[in-house]
Amino acid sequence: MTAPVLSVSDLVVSAGPKFDIVRGVSFDIAPGEILGLVGESGCGKSMTSLAAMGLLPSGIRVSGGSIQLNGTDIIRLAPHQRVQRGCGRMAMVFQEPMTSLNPVLRIGEQIQEAVRVHDRAASPPARARELLDMVRIPDATHQLRAYPHELSGGMRQRVMIAIALACRPAVLIADEPTTALDVTVQRQVLGLIRELCDSLDMGVLFITHDLGVVAQLADRVAVMYAGGLVETGDVVPLFAAPRHPYTAGLMACLPDPNSDDPMLATIPGSAPRPNEIKQGCPFAPRCSRVDDICRRGAVPITFNDSGQAARCHFPLTCEAPE
């Protein structure tokens, strides 16, 4: 098997004593593979990505686990140390490009700055034009002179992807990069990410709350709830037969075009806060299959024949407790 380009093992991110935001998260990403990290707002998706990038906010820290990029543990290295030691080949694209781009600098200046930092052997002007070509922005010479406000939302996001590619990343982290885009532009950006992943043999961690986007783009899925992973597996079998009750609940909430019922299904209750998780399964208060064993002790990870993993005492392939 191909060695993973990014390997996250038992990652714990804390905001204080006994206040874990991310709890024991583990996953691997192979070269040329897209892993979709799915979950509702506040479940820890973005904190996982910021921990991988070394960009956690003040007061929040990694308190356990490891993050290996091409076999090098980078968890204790600041971003500038990663660049100095040659292990800075990981880049991130954020949700809203207008908050990431400098509004008073031309696009060309911003791309060239990234090239000068990460690819000193390249000519910044020539590499900037090459990057715009890679992300399918036409008339590169003209667009390099434009300011961010002169571009559409889709074009600005393509510019952010171009800046991310300046370091020739082995891993690209995309944190809800299509949320602010309309459906047509969203499809184009997703197609671009898939194309770049395949052509550059680059691993991608794609963070979203949109199951439809994951089904369209990802190779594998990791479902996150209350700071931990509850289910992982290949896209097709996981969507065809989810094993964790939370995954099944998310999928049941999707609109059914063949149904006459105007009401959408919901998951009762709400997710617990990090300091409210004591022991047992954090989804137990909302689960229809809950039993006494779910409320105490560690919850085992079970696998099926296709390698689909679910952290549940009673996965959906098992008979529910009476």
Side-chain angles (χ1 to χ4, degrees):
M1 295 180 64
T2 304
V5 65
L6 179 67
S7 182
V8 176
S9 179
D10 292 324
L11 178 67
V12 180
V13 177
S14 304
K18 299 181 180 180
F19 199 97
D20 295 338
I21 302 170
V22 175
R23 303 175 296 106
V25 166
S26 299
F27 59 81
D28 293 332
I29 302 178
E33 178 183 57
I34 298 179
L35 174 68
L37 184 59
V38 184
E40 58 192 288
S41 297
C43 71
K45 305 186 302 296
S46 293
M47 283 299 172
T48 299
S49 66
L50 292 174
M53 290 295 299
L55 298 175
L56 287 171
S58 177
I60 299 177
R61 64 185 182 87
V62 174
S63 56
S66 67
I67 301 174
Q68 295 194 349
L69 179 64
N70 281 325
T72 301
D73 194 347
I74 61 173
I75 205 166
R76 307 298 177 196
L77 301 179
H80 72 278
Q81 293 176 314
R82 300 182 187 190
V83 174
Q84 292 171 352
R85 300 188 187 188
C87 55
R89 296 182 59 228
M90 183 159 54
M92 190 166 182
V93 178
F94 295 92
Q95 179 173 339
E96 177 47 68
M98 276 304 284
T99 62
S100 302
L101 293 169
N102 190 323
V104 300
L105 292 180
R106 298 180 189 272
I107 294 301
E109 296 175 71
Q110 300 189 56
I111 299 177
Q112 290 180 44
E113 179 184 10
V115 173
R116 282 191 288 270
V117 171
H118 295 286
D119 195 356
R120 297 180 181 178
S123 164
R127 178 62 174 160
R129 287 191 295 272
E130 178 186 353
L131 289 168
L132 286 193
D133 289 338
M134 289 175 65
V135 298
R136 302 292 184 265
I137 292 182
D139 192 10
T141 301
H142 172 73
Q143 301 293 0
L144 287 170
R145 295 196 297 268
Y147 289 95
H149 72 270
E150 298 178 302
L151 302 180
S152 66
M155 285 297 183
R156 288 194 292 264
Q157 197 58 282
R158 289 172 186 261
V159 170
M160 287 306 304
I161 295 174
I163 292 173
L165 295 177
C167 70
R168 305 181 189 273
V171 176
L172 177 68
I173 299 177
D175 190 357
E176 309 230 27
T178 60
T179 298
L181 306 178
D182 64 49
V183 175
T184 302
V185 178
Q186 180 185 91
R187 179 178 290 272
Q188 294 171 354
V189 172
L190 294 178
L192 174 64
I193 292 174
R194 177 80 263 180
E195 179 184 334
L196 292 170
C197 175
D198 294 338
S199 63
L200 301 177
D201 203 28
M202 176 178 66
V204 175
L205 176 61
F206 194 94
I207 298 171
T208 183
H209 62 275
D210 192 330
L211 293 174
V213 169
V214 171
Q216 175 185 345
L217 180 70
D219 301 300
R220 290 190 302 115
V221 188
V223 182
M224 200 166 188
Y225 180 79
L229 294 184
V230 296
E231 184 165 4
T232 58
D234 292 340
V235 165
V236 173
L238 188 145
F239 273 69
R243 300 183 67 233
H244 196 280
Y246 176 64
T247 309
L250 286 180
M251 295 181 65
C253 294
L254 295 175
D256 183 358
N258 299 316
S259 175
D260 296 328
D261 188 351
M263 299 298 294
L264 296 177
T266 61
I267 301 175
S270 59
R273 297 176 181 272
N275 61 338
E276 295 174 345
I277 301 173
K278 304 301 181 183
Q279 59 178 345
C281 177
F283 188 62
R286 308 174 70 185
C287 184
S288 62
R289 300 167 65 86
V290 67
D291 195 25
D292 287 343
I293 193 174
C294 302
R295 299 186 178 93
R296 60 178 185 271
V299 183
I301 300 176
T302 61
F303 296 84
N304 63 7
D305 294 340
S306 66
Q308 196 172 329
R311 187 178 291 276
C312 183
H313 287 285
F314 305 105
L316 295 179
T317 51
C318 298
E319 186 174 342
E322 296 183 359

